[in-house]
Amino acid sequence: MSQTRAAGRIERPAAASTPSHGTPLTPATARAKPLRHSRGAVLVMVAPFAVMFAAFFIAPIVYAINDSLFSTKASGLGFGAPEKTFVLFDNYAAALGNASFRESLGRLLAFAAIEVPLMVVTAVALALLIDSASARLPRLFRVVFFIPYGVPGVIAALLWGFLYIPATSPILQILSSLGIDLNPLDTDSILFAIANIALWGFAGYNMLILIAALNAVPSELYEAAKIDGASEWAITWRIKLPLVRPSVILITVFTIIGTLQLFVEPLVLRPLTTAISSDYTPNLAAYNQSFSQGNPNLAAAMAVLVALLGFAFSFGFLRLVNRRGDRAW
Amino acid sequence: MVRTSRPIRQPLTSTLVVNGVLAIAALYFLLPILWVLVAATKSPGELFSSFGLWFTDSPQAWQNITNVFTQDGGIFTSWVLNSILYSAAGALAATVLSAACGYAIAKFPFKGRELLFSIILGGVLVPATVIALPLYFLLNAVDLTGTYWSVLLPSMVSPFGVYLARIHANAAVPDEILEAARIDGAGDLRIFGAIAARMMTPALVTIFLFQFVTIWNNYLLPLVMLSETRTFPLTLGLTLWNSQTQRDPAFYQLVVTGSALSAILLVALMIGLQRFWKADLTAGATKG
């Protein structure tokens, strides 16, 4: 009995994961036997995560979508249970009909237009510089660039806040003594000031992903290119960049998702400037609707809109890069 | 793989330009940290009246640190311990859960496996803010809001961890070894616990560290869930102090010194664990 069981199991991985070598099995024999044997084990391994994922990821999303389709009204004089009525897309219409929410969406798009290219270009540039043959102490630089990733976004925003006001900022003090008066927290420059905080925090992390991809490139490729007379510059553009393209796409998608969640930085900088309103980003607006305006249904619609925007941008971007050239992932 | 032998001759100008740019970038990344370390030695008054990047004649770092730890009955210590508790316990549970799930997805062709994996991957793309707000109402319905669990439980789920575990189980755990263990009569759970988990150690450490930093840096979830200041993590606690600066400017120095201490804590942790950060895993993931 135990022997046939073992034999059944031996065949399975060959068919399941490496169909190219070994004797190909018919799907029926390949699947039926091992499944029967390991079903309990698979359940024990998969179920805990699946249950937690369902409870803390799927359920809130379902709840939010459901909530966004209803409206809660206090009945009568506010006594008794509030009444829930199905309103379909009324909350979405209300969100999009609200001028300040539309403004916050526009602001978020403007911010993404600044932040995403800035982040990707910086991360790629830093990774290529550290990877270049001319770099001294590449390990030291790698650690230094990565350090801000460990500083929470809230604390990063607090620190940069001090560096953005003339009373405490050494940079503004030096510039001012040179006759240049800057105010990063002005309405005109506030988005750049926020973009800088996000760049500071995450550029090193993204750079690390790219460096790992660069390290995986076989060195023979560079040797061959050098023998063919390629310059360092040509190697960078013609070999390194195309080879790390999938990683560049990965960090771009992560940056898009992260960018659209903008919440903490404006929240922390708000007391320092009049350029940031309480509904400055869609997430701030949703938070306020939920916890100070007491309208969680509208908040849910706003949150879902931000998520849809994130999906649309991520998949749009992936389609765009996958159409040009081969599929990335 | 790692190019150990660097070419000896590089044009001088290119060396100068490359290292010059790297040095400027290093200054940029270190600037806020240097500033806060210097600022933490100043009196509240000097904070706003002296040059930001240099010490004053009468540094009072020790005085400031004492103030941070004695303010509000030593609540700062609670915040540090809470942050460590949330991050360590959450990351540990997340590592075990996602390692088991990722390994099973990689090694067992069970029904609905690809669908499950796609749904989990989709979870990576969902903004945390979309989840945090409705999660408050869900946990409120079962009376969990305001408790340690309201932050701990959601922190134990890492879809990205499952993704990393699957990729790494495919790459680092050869099927031949699993077959051999099965012939020796080991059950699938024992094979995972005793053999596969050990071979996946680099991935497990990476998942742990990613999740640790994610929880440590999290702000929105505790902001939504917690109301009792004793249960706050550092991020929430420091913003609480920051919100009181309007009322009492002395809080500025508390915020600055508290930020400096928490930055030192994490920077020490990051540098100490530097060799465990295997970003290679994420890079390998995109090549498959």
Side-chain angles (χ1 to χ4, degrees), chain B residues 174-280:
Chain B
D175 288 340
E176 290 75 19
I177 291 189
L178 302 187
E179 290 160 25
R182 281 189 184 124
I183 292 172
D184 289 344
D188 283 319
L189 285 178
R190 228 189 112 203
I191 294 176
F192 170 67
I195 303 170
R198 208 162 288 177
M199 300 176 92
M200 289 166 68
T201 304
L204 300 187
V205 174
T206 306
I207 295 170
F208 178 84
L209 290 176
F210 266 119
Q211 193 64 8
F212 188 96
V213 174
T214 304
I215 303 171
W216 187 277
N217 291 351
N218 202 347
Y219 176 71
L220 185 65
L221 184 70
L223 173 71
V224 169
M225 294 294 174
L226 303 175
S227 49
E228 171 58 46
T229 53
R230 280 274 160 195
T231 60
F232 280 9
L234 259 177
T235 47
L236 211 51
L238 286 174
T239 47
L240 176 73
W241 277 355
N242 192 50
S243 67
Q244 313 202 12
T245 49
Q246 308 281 353
R247 185 173 58 78
D248 178 2
F251 274 95
Y252 276 117
Q253 188 51 55
L254 290 171
V255 171
V256 164
T257 310
S259 301
L261 289 172
S262 67
I264 291 171
L265 206 66
L266 245 270
V267 167
L269 199 70
M270 308 265 303
I271 292 176
L273 297 174
Q274 210 245 130
R275 65 199 183 91
F276 293 112
W277 284 98
K278 292 267 194 269
D280 316 48

Side-chain angles (χ1 to χ4, degrees), chain A residues 295-313:
Chain A
N295 193 346
N297 302 101
L298 183 58
M302 289 173 166
V304 171
L305 282 172
V306 177
L308 288 178
L309 204 64
F311 277 121
F313 274 89

Side-chain angles (χ1 to χ4, degrees), chain A:
Chain A
M1 174 61 196
S2 71
Q3 229 169 0
T4 51
R5 183 182 288 183
R9 281 179 184 167
I10 291 170
E11 288 166 349
R12 185 197 51 79
S17 55
T18 50
S20 51
H21 70 75
T23 19
L25 301 166
T26 61
T29 44
R31 286 225 186 93
K33 277 192 173 178
L35 246 184
R36 185 153 22 93
H37 295 308
S38 52
R39 187 175 286 163
V42 168
L43 198 66
V44 171
M45 287 190 236
V46 174
F49 179 86
V51 168
M52 295 286 282
F53 185 76
F56 298 109
F57 263 81
I58 309 281
I61 294 170
V62 172
Y63 184 92
I65 294 172
N66 179 57
D67 225 24
S68 70
L69 304 175
F70 284 88
S71 171
T72 318
K73 285 216 172 67
S75 58
L77 292 164
F79 302 110
E83 232 172 277
K84 238 183 162 186
T85 42
F86 183 73
V87 294
L88 196 64
F89 294 131
D90 279 9
N91 287 317
Y92 292 91
L96 293 173
N98 183 332
S100 87
F101 186 73
R102 278 203 311 273
E103 268 170 41
S104 77
L105 278 177
R107 203 174 285 126
L108 192 64
L109 295 184
F111 177 71
I114 298 168
E115 172 69 13
V116 178
L118 185 69
M119 176 69 81
V120 174
V121 169
T122 307
V124 170
L126 291 178
L128 289 174
L129 282 171
I130 284 189
D131 193 66
S132 94
S134 309
R136 304 272 178 269
L137 307 172
R139 273 160 192 247
L140 177 72
F141 283 123
R142 209 173 62 182
V143 177
V144 168
F145 298 170
F146 185 52
I147 282 173
Y149 177 63
V151 178
V154 183
I155 295 180
L158 280 173
L159 295 185
W160 279 103
F162 284 108
L163 295 175
Y164 286 158
I165 50 175
T168 48
S169 170
I171 310 160
L172 295 182
Q173 286 162 5
I174 292 172
L175 286 175
S176 167
S177 70
L178 295 172
I180 307 165
D181 280 315
L182 275 184
N183 183 3
L185 297 173
D186 251 357
T187 318
D188 300 333
S189 51
I190 184 75
L191 280 183
F192 291 94
I194 297 172
N196 173 57
I197 300 175
L199 178 75
W200 183 78
F202 288 97
Y205 169 74
N206 289 324
M207 171 206 72
L208 212 63
I209 292 177
L210 294 168
I211 287 181
L214 283 169
N215 282 340
V217 176
S219 53
E220 295 82 41
L221 267 181
Y222 301 126
E223 312 284 328
K226 265 183 209 137
I227 291 169
D228 288 348
S231 65
E232 176 90 3
W233 192 244
I235 291 176
T236 301
W237 281 106
R238 301 273 174 78
I239 300 179
K240 288 184 179 177
L241 264 181
L243 283 172
V244 299
R245 187 170 167 271
S247 296
V248 176
I249 291 168
L250 181 79
I251 66 167
T252 309
V253 171
F254 281 167
T255 307
I256 291 174
I257 309 271
T259 299
L260 297 180
Q261 301 194 39
L262 187 63
F263 178 80
V264 165
E265 290 86 353
L267 188 72
V268 173
L269 292 181
R270 201 165 108 73
L272 304 177
T273 171
T274 51
I276 299 177
S277 60
S278 63
D279 292 346
Y280 194 69
T281 72
N283 272 334
L284 275 171
Y287 180 80
N288 284 337
Q289 283 301 333
S290 204
F291 291 100
S292 45
Q293 312 285 333
N295 193 346
N297 302 101
L298 183 58
M302 289 173 166
V304 171
L305 282 172
V306 177
L308 288 178
L309 204 64
F311 277 121
F313 274 89
S314 306
F315 287 115
F317 173 74
L318 285 176
R319 273 195 72 136
L320 190 77
V321 291
N322 285 341
R323 204 186 305 152
R324 282 192 233 143
D326 53 342
R327 276 183 57 87
W329 52 296

